[in-house]
Amino acid sequence: MTVPEVSDRLPVALDAVGGDFGAPPLVEGAVQAARAGVKVLLVGDRVRLHAELGRYEDSASLPLEIVDAPDVIGMDEHASDVRGRREASINVANGLVKEGRASAVVSMGHSGASMASSLLTLGRLKGVDRPAILAHLPSKTGFVTLLDVGANADVKPAYLAQWAQLASTYLSVVEDKASPSVGLLSIGEEDHKGNALTLEAHALLRQMPGLNFHGNVEGRDILKGTTDIVVTDGFTGNIVLKLAEGEAKVLFGWVRDALSSSLLSKAGALLVRGALRGVAARLDPSTYGASLLIGVKGLSYIGHGSADARAVKNALLRADRAYQSRLIERLTVAMTGQA
């Protein structure tokens, strides 16, 4: 695949005023991404964003542009507010993708509002009943792709089958993973284990042509990397995601306590510090930046409200990479058989 020069690429639209900490970490992440060659449209209050960009001496020479959006949907507001607030930053950012002025939208703001805005503005891909949030978790084999992690608490078996196809195409196209394996999260490896949802979904997945379906996987299999993809409902997936993130923090806290408990352990800490930093980097959610809302007719990435600049940068890089890989076109073919 020939990657266009930076000057020929569409920019990524960033909701630059959403999130827990406002513009500063978002603009900093955009500056870092721009230095790495990604064009970025900063969407939000023009005056605030100009002032924030002014903190970076090289900002005028970087591929950054501000698109004014005087309104922002706060973290304590309702996701349904996107319907009546056309000038909200998340709606303006999604509109840029819809109009073909941006390659993707990235938001670290209100996740419900981000999902609602993308669905209302971009619509669904043909063959997709409900979009899902696709996330990466570090695993023994590198990373595992988990979906849904929060978009749909109540699901039908057909949704899980569609998500398996979407995720398989995503890994093939963006991550160059040939014939990725798919696991269905259940309470046992045996085909007959699970509730009504998983039993019916298992039958559908088993019958799907071209899908590399491994079968049922248990919770302990996720981080072992037993399969490349794990599908489940959004209620369960969100719990799994937050449990994994929380457990990683707790474990590192235990390690820090153990390595500072005595003079001998402190000396040992100096020897393993470099190795531990590498492990910490693998477990850091900011490594992946944001999660893809897969199944909408455009690229939409949703991150944590508490995201730092590194997470924002990585989300923008991933969004640009997905666009250059023609992911939406490939997903359309996979779901409909039509280019």
Side-chain angles (χ1 to χ4, degrees), residues 7 20 32 59 62 112 143 160 164 167 208 232 243 245 275 285 293:
S7 59
D20 294 340
Q32 292 177 7
S59 61
L62 295 173
F143 68 86
L160 299 179
M208 289 179 66
T232 187
L243 173 64
E245 291 176 348
L293 180 63

Side-chain angles (χ1 to χ4, degrees), residues 2 4 8 19 42 49 80 89 97 99 101 114 123-124 129 135 144 148 152 158 192-193 198 206 216 230 292 306 314:
T2 301
D8 297 329
L42 296 162
L49 294 179
S80 58
S89 54
V97 177
E99 296 162 10
R101 294 170 57 192
S114 297
R124 291 177 285 111
D129 290 315
V144 62
D148 180 21
N152 306 274
H192 63 275
K193 291 287 185 70
T198 54
R206 186 67 73 188
N216 288 350
V230 175
L292 174 65
S306 59
N314 287 337

Side-chain angles (χ1 to χ4, degrees), residues 211-283:
L211 188 74
N212 182 10
F213 182 51
H214 169 87
N216 288 350
V217 293
E218 299 179 82
R220 63 188 176 190
D221 291 310
I222 297 175
L223 300 186
K224 285 169 58 179
T226 300
T227 58
D228 300 308
I229 299 163
V230 175
V231 292
T232 187
D233 63 271
F235 183 86
T236 305
N238 189 265
I239 292 173
V240 169
L241 177 67
K242 291 176 179 175
L243 173 64
E245 291 176 348
E247 183 69 3
K249 291 180 181 178
V250 170
L251 285 173
F252 260 86
W254 290 345
V255 171
R256 280 196 303 270
D257 291 343
L259 292 177
S260 60
S261 60
S262 67
L263 288 175
L264 185 60
S265 62
K266 288 179 181 178
L270 295 175
L271 298 176
V272 300
R273 184 167 53 186
L276 288 176
R277 283 176 178 168
V279 174
R282 288 187 62 186
L283 295 175

Side-chain angles (χ1 to χ4, degrees), residues 33-57:
R35 288 170 179 162
V38 176
K39 297 171 70 174
V40 183
L41 295 176
L42 296 162
V43 182
D45 181 84
R46 185 182 298 278
V47 174
R48 288 174 59 193
L49 294 179
H50 268 301
E52 197 61 38
L53 271 180
R55 297 174 53 216
Y56 302 93
E57 294 181 357

Side-chain angles (χ1 to χ4, degrees), residues 154-172:
D154 299 304
V155 307
K156 297 179 180 180
Y159 301 171
L160 299 179
Q162 292 168 13
W163 299 340
Q165 182 63 68
L166 289 168
S168 296
T169 303
Y170 168 84
L171 287 184
S172 297

